[in-house]
Amino acid sequence: MPSATYAATAPRGQAFEIHPFDGAVGAEIIGLDLAQPLNDTDFARIHRAHLDHHVVVFRDQRITPEQQIAFSRRFGELQIHVLKQFLLAGHPEVLIVSNIIEQGAPIGLGDAGKFWHSDLSYKPLPSLGSMLHAQELPSEGGDTLFADMHKALDALPAELRKAIEGRQAAHSYTARYSEPKFEGDWRPRLNAEQLAQVQEVIHPIVRTHPESGRKALFVSEGFTTRIVDLPEDESRELLAELYRYSVLPQHIYRHQWQPHDLVFWDNRSLIHLAAGCPGHLRRKLYRTTIQGDAPF
Ligand code: SIN
């Protein structure tokens, strides 16, 4: 029984529904207002939905950056992106993802996610999950795609599974750094201090989700550079095969953004990709990134 004091001060529960999508992964959360304080029961339902569906979409969230930060913090410590120039003024926990140029300079990271990746897999403690909150959306394009890496692992043929057994791969922030895929020069040079923050790391190719215990493939074309202890050509071929199985169409959810969507995904279960939009259309989202565990 809650104590009288707790009952008097605990936030009231909200009546919201969780609707799994028809496809591979993902669920929509309807009727929840993240601008209101969340009680522990509602938080536990959201946490469960995130683990079960890997990506959850909260519609119509009129929240401030402070509220996004506070909600994100309930899942863990927040990570600050190495590109300091794209952090929201006064809120370094928020990375601006945007193609907008103001006074001749980009206001955010314009080509974030242009290769399939799991956020911050290039860190010793990669991200548990990320939240993107839509601020300005283009009238055309701008979708984000999510691919289920548990299903990717399950889909691997036996010989491929055997080839990666017990193996590790290197991840680097700079793996694709000088390869802008779309228009614009979004990637500022990294100074020595920034380079020191993104030294190459080694992670297992198959990781175990620390909360669900499920195994998932943990490599991506965005940040994985090589398989440890394999000749370069073998490593390249094996990675190409793994990437092919990572993005089978039946394992993908394509998010078409609606105004004020907040999307929260699990980087331990998914990789994601920004599909891009015509360069003249403005797109701006705020990202918070929650730190996870060392992959095992
Ligand atoms: C990201 O990779 O965090 C950005 C995804 C997007 O812009 O759709």
Side-chain angles (χ1 to χ4, degrees):
M1 280 286 279
S3 72
T5 319
Y6 178 79
T9 56
R12 290 160 67 97
Q14 297 190 47
F16 63 94
E17 291 175 12
I18 299 168
H19 297 283
F21 293 130
D22 288 338
V25 293
E28 196 175 33
I29 299 194
I30 309 283
L32 182 80
D33 181 2
L34 291 171
Q36 303 303 320
L38 267 189
N39 71 20
D40 290 347
T41 309
D42 289 352
F43 176 76
R45 273 184 81 198
I46 295 166
H47 183 199
R48 188 69 254 162
H50 185 249
L51 290 176
D52 289 345
H53 304 292
H54 313 318
V55 50
V56 285
V57 175
F58 303 84
R59 298 292 186 192
D60 199 28
Q61 297 302 319
R62 313 290 173 124
I63 55 169
T64 62
E66 290 85 350
Q67 287 167 329
Q68 180 178 349
I69 291 167
F71 179 50
S72 306
R73 280 218 173 102
R74 292 195 67 167
F75 294 88
E77 193 179 318
L78 301 191
Q79 295 172 294
I80 310 291
H81 200 273
V82 65
L83 292 179
K84 300 272 183 284
Q85 53 275 63
F86 298 144
L87 304 179
L88 186 64
H91 296 294
E93 303 87 350
V94 174
L95 172 71
I96 304 172
V97 172
S98 180
N99 63 355
I100 299 170
I101 309 271
E102 270 170 12
Q103 288 156 2
I107 64 161
L109 186 54
D111 63 357
K114 295 304 189 280
F115 294 94
W116 284 101
H117 68 288
S118 168
D119 284 332
L120 278 60
S121 75
Y122 52 83
K123 301 284 269 184
L125 298 179
S127 163
L128 171 160
S130 309
M131 291 188 196
L132 264 186
H133 187 219
Q135 306 292 316
E136 266 190 81
L137 296 172
S139 52
E140 183 191 333
D143 299 349
T144 308
L145 281 72
F146 298 92
D148 187 324
M149 297 297 268
H150 300 293
K151 291 194 168 131
L153 181 66
D154 293 344
L156 293 185
E159 69 277 13
L160 203 47
R161 185 97 188 220
K162 195 160 184 331
I164 57 170
E165 206 171 278
R167 289 211 173 268
Q168 297 181 304
H171 296 239
S172 170
Y173 180 62
T174 54
R176 301 274 186 170
Y177 203 79
S178 52
E179 279 181 56
K181 204 172 154 193
F182 297 136
E183 56 193 287
D185 180 15
W186 300 102
R187 300 273 161 172
R189 249 176 209 284
L190 296 174
N191 62 30
E193 190 200 328
Q194 288 170 315
L195 281 171
Q197 286 175 40
V198 291
Q199 293 294 302
E200 179 186 88
V201 296
I202 306 290
H203 292 310
I205 293 180
V206 176
R207 74 178 294 186
T208 306
H209 193 291
E211 294 183 81
S212 69
R214 291 183 65 195
K215 293 201 183 299
L217 203 53
F218 193 58
V219 286
S220 70
E221 62 169 352
F223 294 134
T224 307
T225 49
R226 65 190 166 87
I227 297 180
V228 175
D229 291 335
L230 275 191
E232 203 186 317
D233 53 345
E234 252 182 77
S235 162
R236 203 174 34 245
E237 279 168 32
L238 195 47
L239 283 173
E241 274 295 279
L242 296 177
Y243 298 158
R244 205 162 64 77
Y245 280 93
S246 300
V247 293
L248 296 175
Q250 63 270 31
H251 299 162
I252 291 177
Y253 163 63
R254 183 177 193 114
H255 184 68
Q256 291 176 306
W257 290 89
Q258 294 180 18
H260 311 289
D261 273 355
L262 179 116
V263 175
F264 177 30
W265 65 91
D266 191 331
N267 283 303
R268 304 161 299 184
S269 296
L270 304 175
I271 51 173
H272 61 283
L273 175 81
C277 69
H280 66 282
L281 298 177
R282 291 166 68 99
R283 183 176 189 267
K284 181 168 84 166
L285 305 100
Y286 287 167
R287 192 180 95 187
T288 41
T289 315
I290 302 142
Q291 183 169 283
D293 303 315
F296 60 92

